[in-house]
């Protein structure tokens, strides 16, 4: 009995400490967006003098880095008086932005329509439906370009709907300039290389501009998925698309390197992350593959990669259980990036 | 030196349907002018009138975008692979 009591006293001290350090109750789920943790994964680095860290954006309440973008765009529109309770928003998204917006629209009382290619993973569609968003299918085989094109057309046909358009909305990179970037420098002040995926370019522009402003020697590396089947839908190179926020914010001058990572390497590194306990989405594997290349090309450094989301939405891809060849084949028919 | 160039679907029609062609060149600029002279249909698509890379064209040397290397002056080695891809909206956005 005396022994049990002694343990209990120890536990009580420990519990009190934890409770005092982290006693914080959020008044809204939206208050939990941002301030994501960074984890040291240097054991995966091929270069013992190049450490690699990962910022886990999957810890956001909507499950991805896009919660930050969605919140920033919606709250900017509110301040500008574009949104009133019951407003309808329309947005092209092959996943995460739509999901983040759906969560925020549900909490704030807006209606959301998401334009997306038909071949996105099942989990993404379900998440959108959970938070009440309506899905509009864009033409098969045209990828994100097709979704962008259709959303623009629908938005011009319905001038009363609010079209925030993440590819051209400055609130997208601003979210990263004001929050993600400062969080990174606060938690990892000795960073030398920042590696992130290139989609709308919001993360790279926002974080990259902040880091270059505060610590100009930091190198900014962009990792992009291969265009894949999307390319087959283009009729000419003039159908190409560069996000307006990339051009308006001098993206070409900001980046130090841009490299393509294919599905095979993305899957290999996504699986390796699971071996060190990190269950991440496939685009995280692509970013890590870029970081490995970076680690191999430098003598010494501190590399940070962004993990845009966790693995949950990709379980139906079965990449963790299939062989690499089968997993690569599977990603050809469905958009997982 | 001889390098392999991978063409996107949209350019293959100008190269008799070939997905991969070989050219002899010392840098990226030479690859593009070589392609334009061999396959006239490609000429206006790759470079602008002032001789710069068309804004919707991305050229990769072994996976690296040459815009962030030495652009058209990027030097080549034997056995390098060049890929030409159109710029597209990408990612799980």
């Amino acid at each position: 009995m005396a022994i049990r009591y002694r343990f209990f006293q120890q536990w009580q001290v420990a519990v009190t400490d934890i409770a005092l350090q982290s006693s914080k109750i959020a008044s809204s789920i939206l208050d939990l967006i941002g301030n994501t943790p960074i984890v040291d994964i240097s054991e995966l680095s091929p270069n013992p003098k190049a450490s690699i860290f990962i910022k886990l954006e999957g810890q956001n309440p909507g499950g991805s880095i896009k919660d930050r973008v969605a919140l920033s765009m919606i709250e900017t529109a509110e301040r500008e008086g574009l949104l009133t309770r019951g407003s309808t928003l329309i947005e092209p998204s092959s996943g995460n932005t739509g999901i983040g917006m759906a969560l925020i629209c549900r909490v704030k009382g807006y209606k959301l329509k998401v334009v997306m290619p038909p071949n996105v993973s099942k989990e993404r569609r379900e998440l959108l439906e959970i938070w009440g968003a309506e899905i509009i299918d864009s033409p098969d085989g045209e990828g994100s370009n097709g979704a962008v094109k259709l959303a623009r057309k629908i938005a011009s046909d319905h001038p009363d709907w609010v079209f925030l358009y993440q590819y051209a909305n400055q609130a997208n990179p601003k979210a990263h300039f004001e929050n993600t970037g400062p969080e990174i420098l606060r938690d990892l002040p000795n960073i030398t290389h920042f590696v992130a995926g290139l989609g709308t370019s919001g993360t790279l522009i926002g974080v990259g501009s902040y880091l270059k402003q505060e610590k100009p020697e930091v190198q900014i590396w962009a990792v992009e998925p291969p265009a894949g089947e999307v390319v087959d839908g283009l009729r000419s190179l003039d159908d190409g698309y560069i996000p307006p926020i990339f051009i308006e914010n001098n993206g070409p001058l900001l980046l130090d390197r841009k490299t393509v990572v294919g599905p095979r390497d993305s899957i290999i590194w996504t699986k390796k992350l699971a071996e060190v306990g990190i269950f991440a989405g496939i685009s995280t594997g692509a970013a890590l593959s870029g970081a490995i290349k970076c680690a191999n090309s430098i003598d010494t450094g501190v590399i940070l990669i962004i993990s845009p989301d966790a693995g949950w939405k990709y379980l139906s891809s079965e990449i963790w259980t299939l062989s690499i060849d089968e997993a690569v084949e599977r990603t050809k028919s469905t958009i997982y990036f | 030196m001889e390098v392999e160039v991978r063409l996107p679907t949209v350019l293959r029609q100008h190269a008799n349907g070939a997905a991969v062609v070989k050219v002899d060149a010392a840098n990226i600029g030479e690859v593009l002018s070589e392609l334009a002279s061999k396959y006239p249909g490609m000429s206006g698509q790759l470079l602008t009138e002032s001789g710069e890379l068309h804004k919707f064209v991305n050229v990769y040397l072994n996976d690296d975008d040459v815009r962030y290397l030495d652009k058209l002056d990027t030097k080549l080695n034997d056995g390098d692979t060049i890929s030409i891809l159109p710029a597209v909206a990408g990612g799980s956005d």
Side-chain angles (χ1 to χ4, degrees):
Chain A
M1 191 63 198
I3 291 168
R4 280 179 64 191
Y5 178 65
R6 208 161 52 234
F7 275 125
F8 174 70
Q9 273 187 321
Q10 281 175 359
W11 289 342
Q12 199 172 34
V13 170
V15 168
T16 312
D17 281 352
I18 292 167
L20 284 178
Q21 281 164 16
S22 59
S23 114
K24 193 179 161 202
I25 293 173
S27 59
S28 157
I29 187 74
L30 305 185
D31 294 344
L32 301 182
I33 294 175
N35 261 315
T36 50
I38 292 178
V39 182
D40 186 346
I41 50 164
S42 299
E43 62 196 287
L44 294 175
S45 177
N47 174 354
K49 288 185 185 159
S51 42
I52 303 179
F53 293 80
I54 184 168
K55 189 165 170 66
L56 298 177
E57 290 296 318
Q59 305 268 332
N60 282 299
S64 88
I65 192 166
K66 293 297 186 168
D67 287 4
R68 296 174 185 266
V69 173
L71 187 66
S72 171
M73 293 198 303
I74 289 173
E75 293 197 335
T76 302
E78 285 174 336
R79 282 195 296 276
E80 290 169 354
L82 291 173
L83 290 170
T84 48
R85 200 165 176 84
S87 289
T88 296
L89 294 87
I90 180 158
E91 186 68 23
S93 164
S94 55
N96 283 327
T97 305
I99 292 165
M101 287 179 71
L103 161 63
I104 295 162
C105 287
R106 172 49 56 97
V107 172
K108 288 179 175 277
Y110 304 126
K111 295 185 200 98
L112 174 68
K113 296 172 193 291
V114 176
V115 183
M116 65 196 320
N119 57 333
V120 302
S121 76
K122 169 172 169 281
E123 293 91 336
R124 294 187 187 187
R125 302 180 86 89
E126 287 180 6
L127 274 161
L128 287 167
E129 282 162 7
I130 286 169
W131 284 315
E134 183 194 327
I135 298 168
I136 300 171
D137 283 328
S138 58
D140 203 1
E142 288 185 25
S144 301
N145 276 21
V148 168
K149 212 191 295 173
L150 181 60
R152 293 172 75 143
K153 188 188 173 296
I154 297 173
S156 70
D157 292 346
H158 296 86
D160 52 321
W161 292 358
V162 179
F163 184 40
L164 296 178
Y165 195 30
Q166 57 171 338
Y167 293 91
N169 193 323
Q170 290 293 348
N172 171 359
K174 193 162 168 262
H176 300 299
F177 185 87
E178 291 182 346
N179 298 300
T180 322
E183 288 169 29
I184 290 170
L185 210 51
R186 177 195 68 199
D187 295 339
L188 198 64
N190 55 346
I191 181 173
T192 61
H193 292 76
F194 175 71
V195 181
L198 181 64
T200 64
S201 76
T203 307
L204 280 156
I205 294 289
V207 174
S209 307
Y210 179 79
L211 292 176
K212 289 275 189 193
Q213 172 188 294
E214 299 296 317
K215 204 179 169 189
E217 67 274 24
V218 174
Q219 299 283 294
I220 310 297
W221 281 45
V223 170
E224 55 181 352
E229 50 87 31
V230 177
V231 177
D232 297 333
L234 299 186
R235 284 178 300 278
S236 93
L237 288 173
D238 287 328
D239 280 348
Y241 184 82
I242 302 170
I245 52 172
F246 186 70
I247 300 303
E248 288 163 15
N249 296 289
N250 286 323
L253 291 176
L254 184 73
L255 301 186
D256 295 291
R257 189 93 174 240
K258 179 149 86 67
T259 187
V260 170
V261 174
R264 175 171 294 272
D265 285 333
S266 304
I267 290 166
I268 288 172
W269 288 103
T270 305
K271 288 180 152 200
K272 283 209 193 287
L273 272 169
E275 288 170 17
V276 299
I278 293 179
F279 179 51
I282 304 171
S283 59
T284 305
L288 178 56
S289 177
I292 299 298
K293 195 177 201 177
C294 178
N296 275 322
S297 73
I298 57 178
D299 292 331
T300 169
V302 177
I303 304 165
L304 176 86
I305 65 167
I306 292 281
S307 169
D309 59 7
W312 307 107
K313 286 193 298 283
Y314 308 86
L315 280 172
S316 68
S317 74
E318 299 179 278
I319 66 143
W320 291 272
T321 45
L322 293 172
S323 70
I324 299 280
D325 286 338
E326 289 168 322
V328 170
E329 206 47 46
R330 185 70 64 91
T331 59
K332 284 183 187 161
S333 55
T334 308
I335 294 179
Y336 288 109
F337 286 82
Chain B
M1 47 219 89
E2 193 177 64
V3 292
E4 202 175 271
V5 184
R6 294 185 191 160
L7 300 173
T9 317
V10 65
L11 287 183
R12 291 176 196 166
Q13 52 183 308
H14 306 299
N16 313 314
V20 178
V21 296
K22 291 197 168 167
V23 298
D24 207 26
N27 62 36
I28 294 290
E30 286 182 26
V31 170
L32 301 182
S33 36
E34 186 73 6
L35 285 176
S37 72
K38 257 181 158 169
Y39 311 108
M42 285 187 203
S43 59
Q45 301 233 33
L46 300 171
L47 296 169
T48 61
E49 281 177 12
S50 56
E52 282 169 22
L53 202 53
H54 190 294
K55 69 173 176 175
F56 288 140
V57 175
N58 289 335
V59 179
Y60 301 85
L61 168 61
N62 305 327
D63 296 341
D64 276 311
D65 189 329
V66 303
R67 277 200 179 87
Y68 303 93
L69 301 173
D70 287 325
K71 303 191 172 68
L72 296 179
D73 296 330
T74 304
K75 294 201 170 24
L76 304 175
N77 290 310
D78 254 333
D80 277 341
T81 300
I82 320 293
S83 309
I84 299 175
L85 288 172
V88 289
S92 55
D93 304 309

